[in-house]
Amino acid sequence: PGPNPRIRRWIGDRLGGPPGGARHRRHRACLFSLGRIGDFVLTLGALRRLIRGFGPGDCVLVIPDSLAPLASREFPGLRTITLPADAPGLVREIIPIWWRDRRKFAGDRFEQCVCLSHQRGLYYELALSWIDAENDVRLMPETYPAVSSDGLCTELLAHWRLVETVLGHPVPREEILPGFTSLPNGDDGRLLIYPLSLETERTLPVATTTAVLRRWRECSRAPIVFGGRPADRGKLEHYAGAARLAGLADIQVEMPEGLDGLLRHVAQ
């Protein structure tokens, strides 16, 4: 749970708002895409479509600092502003980020700020307030898709809805689908599952994952691959063992090395 409304207003009054100074750089769009690597991969198609619509020379991308190498490969030459991916604590994380990183937005004025981070806590809302923009375009809880449809998860549907709102015309769904341009995309016919997250609430429960895979196995015989970091071998083997005990065959565990290994794993 976040701070109560009174504390939130107090924090916003003191830590919110763009940095001072003249705005000597003007751009059409600031594309805000903070989150983990999985979140960023899901935005690739939407970002590519927005950048094409605004023009790469008129866009600035706000991303986690850990994903700057991936962004520079997928969007070469595009200016980026980097921030930490998350900041759960006010005193230990948010205030130091405000002190250190808010100044990165000094001197910039945007026609639009487009937020592709749809699940926003206090830190994301504060970071968005540091962007000096004439118009702010974001989905609110009441406009976020309630259920998946057309073969797309709710997050991709949200990106699709946002892109069409920003551009003002229909966009083919294929343009929103995530895909790499810096890596060869393939389809090796396997189901790839990365069940673990640095955040406990985003880690897939073993029992639920096994139950879903039993249902999925009713319509597909494709191999199932649990992926993760080499340090997570024990946890991944627990998922694989539970699946095998449930009678599922052709279960594998694969642990690519580093960011490049992860991206190639997903791309194939």
Side-chain angles (χ1 to χ4, degrees), residues 22-200:
R23 303 287 187 253
H24 54 273
R25 294 185 298 268
R26 295 188 64 87
H27 312 274
R28 293 186 66 192
C30 179
L31 308 178
F32 185 96
S33 185
L34 285 187
R36 302 294 181 184
I37 185 168
D39 303 315
F40 187 67
V41 169
L42 281 180
T43 68
L44 288 176
L47 285 172
R48 201 166 285 121
R49 185 62 186 87
L50 289 171
I51 291 167
R52 189 165 78 248
F54 286 114
D58 261 332
C59 293
V60 175
L61 183 59
V62 179
I63 55 168
D65 41 23
S66 60
L67 298 182
L70 173 58
S72 67
R73 288 177 6 182
E74 290 295 315
F75 309 109
L78 191 71
R79 181 184 163 209
T80 60
I81 295 175
T82 61
L83 297 172
D86 200 8
L90 173 62
V91 175
R92 297 184 64 177
E93 285 97 10
I94 293 178
I95 290 178
I97 293 170
W98 168 80
W99 183 263
R100 181 185 65 242
D101 293 324
R102 176 171 169 261
R103 70 190 70 176
K104 294 179 179 179
F105 298 94
D108 289 308
R109 173 73 168 165
F110 301 94
E111 292 181 14
Q112 293 195 63
C113 173
V114 182
C115 178
L116 291 103
S117 301
H118 308 301
Q119 317 300 329
R120 298 179 297 272
L122 177 61
Y123 165 53
Y124 283 16
E125 295 289 355
L126 280 173
L128 282 163
S129 79
W130 301 339
I131 301 167
D132 187 356
E134 297 170 18
N135 296 297
D136 181 274
V137 187
R138 66 178 80 179
L139 294 187
M140 304 303 288
E142 59 271 19
T143 56
Y144 186 86
V147 295
S148 59
S149 66
D150 297 320
L152 299 182
C153 63
T154 56
E155 193 75 353
L156 283 175
L157 286 173
H159 295 335
W160 194 7
R161 181 174 296 178
L162 185 70
V163 169
E164 290 191 333
T165 298
V166 171
L167 298 181
H169 58 74
V171 173
R173 70 189 291 275
E174 291 74 20
E175 296 189 9
I176 305 302
L177 299 179
F180 299 106
T181 58
S182 60
L183 290 168
N185 291 292
D187 184 1
D188 64 9
R190 304 187 299 166
L191 176 66
L192 181 61
I193 307 171
Y194 272 72
L196 301 172
S197 171
L198 295 175
E199 301 170 22
T200 302

